[in-house]
Amino acid sequence: MKALIITSVLALASVSFGQACCKAKASAEDSFLMMAKEMEMKAEGKQACCKSTAVKTVVKGEGECCNAPGSPVKFKVYVAGDGYKYFGCDGSAAKGRKDLIAKGNKVGKVQPVSSARAISDTNR
């Protein structure tokens, strides 16, 4: 009886490990495809949006990208001397904040926007 239980537990463990291995392999392939598509877009002089996936690439500032002109603003970051910079999603706001800090600007935290605004061409 003990041998049967131990054998069944080992069989279940090996099956679950095999499934986790396949998922890790698939995610590694997806990340490789994402990196290849980003390199292709950079060669064309474009940047990938944060909504890009391994299957579909979205150009930053165009179409379905959250920072496209005319899309609704959801987050803002205050920059001393410049005022607020607006972003369409939290990921781009965090990246924009880091970029502003790297340029030597004094910036505030990422804040949600309470008013209805749209992203303009000058705020990218």
Side-chain angles (χ1 to χ4, degrees):
M1 186 69 179
K2 285 183 185 180
L4 181 63
I5 293 173
I6 291 173
T7 305
S8 63
V9 168
L10 288 175
L12 289 173
S14 64
V15 168
S16 66
F17 177 73
Q19 290 175 351
C21 178
C22 294
K23 288 179 184 177
K25 183 179 179 183
S27 65
E29 289 174 358
D30 289 345
S31 64
F32 175 76
L33 288 173
M34 282 285 296
M35 185 173 56
K37 287 185 179 184
E38 284 180 18
M39 290 173 62
E40 179 183 343
M41 291 179 74
K42 283 184 181 179
E44 295 174 359
K46 300 177 182 177
Q47 286 185 329
C49 180
C50 59
K51 289 191 173 185
S52 295
T53 63
V55 178
K56 183 178 180 182
T57 56
V58 179
V59 178
K60 185 174 183 179
E62 296 180 5
E64 299 173 11
C65 185
C66 59
N67 288 328
S71 63
V73 172
K74 295 181 182 174
F75 296 94
K76 63 184 178 181
V77 175
Y78 183 75
V79 181
D82 277 348
Y84 284 101
K85 298 290 182 184
Y86 297 96
F87 303 94
C89 57
D90 59 347
S92 63
K95 184 180 181 306
R97 183 177 183 274
K98 287 180 184 177
D99 292 344
L100 290 166
I101 290 172
K103 290 180 183 177
N105 295 318
K106 289 187 176 185
V107 299
K109 296 179 181 179
V110 175
Q111 305 169 17
V113 174
S114 58
S115 63
R117 304 191 90 159
I119 294 178
S120 65
D121 290 324
T122 60
N123 187 34
R124 287 192 284 158

